[in-house]
Amino acid sequence: MPISSILKNVVLFAAIVGLGLGALQYLQLLGAHPDFAWICFVFFTLLTLLTIYITSISAKASNKVKGTTMILGAMGIKFLFSMFLILGYILAVRPDNARFILPFFVLYILFTVIETNYLLKITKTQ
């Protein structure tokens, strides 16, 4: 599968998720901090696109172990940046309860599943 079609699929997926977030915000179901859900959405979209692009470039190397290393490294970096995102939001906004984090977990899981699926496809084809 060419990288351009993978990136298009991720953008299409992100658009569908964005429409879902917009519907939830319109119905006022995103809680007291809808801005955090949108920040997470943009963060995960950009990080997923960047990770897939970088992995596709490095997957062209002759070493097959490198592909697995890239997937694990991407997941580790995503997890680390995600923790910084949560910590930064808590320090900046000081939300009154922990319910603001629920959209984060949903988006994290959705984008991790999509990212892992495409990363596996990239490393298998190379």
Side-chain angles (χ1 to χ4, degrees), residues 48-116:
T48 300
L49 290 170
L50 181 66
T51 302
I52 288 173
Y53 180 72
I54 290 172
T55 303
S56 71
I57 292 172
S58 67
K60 294 175 184 172
S62 60
N63 188 355
K64 296 296 181 187
V65 176
K66 191 177 234 181
T68 304
T69 305
M70 287 301 296
I71 291 173
L72 293 175
M75 293 176 107
I77 289 171
K78 182 178 185 176
F79 181 76
L80 185 65
F81 284 167
S82 297
M83 293 301 108
F84 288 143
L85 177 71
I86 293 170
L87 182 62
Y89 190 81
I90 289 172
L91 293 175
V93 176
R94 304 223 184 259
D96 45 347
N97 62 33
R99 294 182 78 198
F100 78 96
I101 206 163
L102 291 176
F104 167 84
F105 285 118
V106 172
L107 292 171
Y108 183 87
I109 290 168
L110 286 173
F111 278 96
T112 300
V113 167
I114 292 298
E115 179 181 326
T116 304

Side-chain angles (χ1 to χ4, degrees), residues 1-3 6 59 64 118-126:
M1 182 176 245
I3 186 64
I6 290 175
K64 296 296 181 187
Y118 285 121
L119 291 178
L120 287 172
K121 285 182 181 182
I122 289 171
T123 56
K124 282 182 182 178
T125 59
Q126 300 299 325

